[in-house]
Amino acid sequence: MINNIKNVFSIKDLENLSGIKAHTIRIWEKRYNVLEPMRTDTNIRLYDLASLQKLLNITLLHEYGYKISKIAAYKEEDIPVLVKQITSSKNAKNHAISAFKMAMMNFDQELFFNTYDWLIAEKPFKEVFHQVFIPLMNEVGVLWQTDTISPAHEHFMSYLIKQKLVINIEKLQTQAAIRLERVFVLSLPMNEIHELGLMYINYEILLKGYKVIYLGESMPIENLKDLKKHFNTITFISYLTVQPDRSAVDDYVSQMTEELLDDSTQLWYIGRMVEFINKEIVHENVSTFNSITELVNEL
């Protein structure tokens, strides 16, 4: 996979990365000469990273009301300066997402950290995660599915976001829990490795002052039973992104219900596979959530 990394892009890749339709990009090129693609022997357009950076900047200016004819009149070196001037804490989201995309495409840790530091100086971590990291990772998922980026890009970006999550979680873990009526146990089912969402839920629950036992990926249900010897009132949270698959998800819920549930226990499920849970088999102490925001509102 690693030798699959792109530094040359098709017009479809540019459409996926910028959100600007390929047809519009062609018009902008023809009328305003904003990009100068390379051409293959068969006359297919190809673009380098500099073109991608320029298009992301142009897209940002265009979203803030600048006409494409006006943008095209600027010198090339003036466009990033203008982007910097109009970007404030109020409209940081799109600029930050564009910067993080460039960091991902270039495997540029320094750009990631500089963009993050700029954001965190203006906003609390919770806002940065909700307004920037969640939409960014949703876009990254689509880019991966459309073959615009390789798994290496996705792993690079998710690991850096995890690092920031761990730092912010650790700050909260140094404070004693103030809400002791319930303990939250967070885990992923067997063979589930998508951990970012569960880590963020850990952060949110800690922020509310609860005690959290974080167990992470690939936890067998029988091992979760051990926690019941240590804590009386437990809410188990499972994040189901791709596992168990849709044919096995009801069995997973049924097994957890049978082995873990009692009057003082709750089971909470979140993630893409939740939609395939048969709600008719769900016990009253079992809850499903369609989003992190919905789950956090329940705390």
Side-chain angles (χ1 to χ4, degrees):
M1 296 289 189
I2 202 100
N3 55 9
N4 213 10
I5 293 162
K6 292 185 178 180
N7 50 24
V8 176
F9 306 93
S10 68
I11 197 164
K12 190 68 183 170
D13 291 333
L14 256 62
E15 176 181 306
N16 291 335
L17 283 156
S18 69
I20 303 296
K21 294 287 182 194
H23 172 69
T24 304
I25 295 171
R26 287 192 197 97
I27 291 171
W28 287 0
E29 274 176 23
K30 196 172 179 182
R31 286 190 192 162
Y32 305 108
N33 202 29
V34 293
L35 296 177
E36 294 178 22
M38 303 170 279
R39 300 271 184 171
T40 66
D41 295 342
T42 51
N43 211 30
I44 293 169
R45 288 171 167 85
L46 291 175
Y47 302 82
D48 60 12
L49 279 163
S51 295
L52 170 60
Q53 174 74 78
K54 187 177 181 185
L55 181 61
L56 290 172
N57 282 335
I58 289 169
T59 303
L60 193 83
L61 293 174
H62 195 53
E63 284 171 354
Y64 292 136
Y66 284 74
K67 290 187 174 172
I68 193 69
S69 55
K70 186 178 179 183
I71 299 169
Y74 284 105
K75 290 180 185 172
E76 191 141 333
E77 62 269 23
D78 291 341
I79 292 174
V81 176
L82 185 60
V83 166
K84 233 172 190 172
Q85 286 170 356
I86 67 165
T87 305
S88 68
S89 60
K90 288 179 185 168
N91 53 29
K93 175 186 167 182
N94 290 354
H95 173 65
I97 289 175
S98 292
F100 283 135
K101 279 186 197 167
M102 282 310 299
M104 175 176 69
M105 301 315 296
N106 281 314
F107 295 96
D108 186 342
Q109 287 184 167
E110 188 179 353
L111 178 56
F112 176 92
F113 290 131
N114 288 343
T115 306
Y116 176 82
D117 289 344
W118 170 72
L119 275 175
I120 213 72
E122 302 284 344
K123 299 170 180 287
F125 179 74
K126 180 172 175 169
E127 277 186 39
V128 172
F129 201 90
H130 275 273
Q131 294 175 12
V132 179
F133 284 153
I134 289 177
L136 173 68
M137 290 312 291
N138 286 341
E139 281 196 49
V140 166
V142 172
L143 293 171
W144 181 76
Q145 286 165 0
T146 56
D147 254 356
T148 306
I149 62 171
S150 74
H153 290 110
E154 184 197 17
H155 283 237
F156 173 78
M157 185 53 61
S158 61
Y159 178 71
L160 288 172
I161 294 173
K162 276 182 187 177
Q163 277 187 310
K164 294 304 176 188
L165 256 175
V166 167
I167 290 164
N168 283 276
I169 286 167
E170 188 176 18
K171 286 177 191 170
L172 295 175
Q173 285 173 326
T174 59
Q175 303 163 22
I178 54 171
R179 300 182 70 175
L180 305 174
E181 68 270 22
R182 175 166 295 278
V183 170
F184 288 85
V185 175
L186 277 54
S187 67
L188 298 176
M190 293 301 293
N191 304 315
E192 178 63 83
I193 57 168
H194 295 83
E195 201 173 1
L196 205 54
L198 192 72
M199 288 177 71
Y200 183 69
I201 289 170
N202 184 13
Y203 170 80
E204 284 276 13
I205 297 172
L206 288 167
L207 203 57
K208 296 276 187 182
Y210 288 102
K211 183 176 180 66
V212 181
I213 310 297
Y214 189 87
L215 301 177
E217 57 190 71
S218 282
M219 273 305 297
I221 293 172
E222 56 268 25
N223 291 3
L224 294 174
K225 287 161 74 173
D226 293 340
L227 277 296
K228 293 175 71 68
K229 298 172 190 170
H230 296 272
F231 305 103
N232 294 325
T233 310
I234 300 177
T235 297
F236 290 95
I237 299 181
S238 295
Y239 209 116
L240 320 178
T241 303
V242 294
Q243 293 293 334
D245 66 34
R246 57 194 298 176
S247 64
V249 71
D250 282 342
D251 289 340
Y252 177 75
V253 173
S254 296
Q255 189 185 347
M256 283 191 79
T257 301
E258 192 178 316
E259 298 198 24
L260 300 173
L261 206 58
D262 55 36
D263 291 341
S264 63
T265 307
Q266 292 183 353
L267 304 178
W268 289 10
Y269 298 99
I270 185 171
R272 285 208 296 261
M273 303 315 294
V274 158
E275 66 173 296
F276 303 113
I277 296 173
N278 178 359
K279 302 304 185 286
E280 291 176 14
I281 67 160
V282 168
H283 186 276
E284 60 180 10
N285 277 13
V286 175
S287 301
T288 59
F289 300 92
N290 296 315
S291 69
I292 289 174
T293 303
E294 192 183 322
L295 186 148
V296 170
N297 288 340
E298 191 68 23
L299 293 171

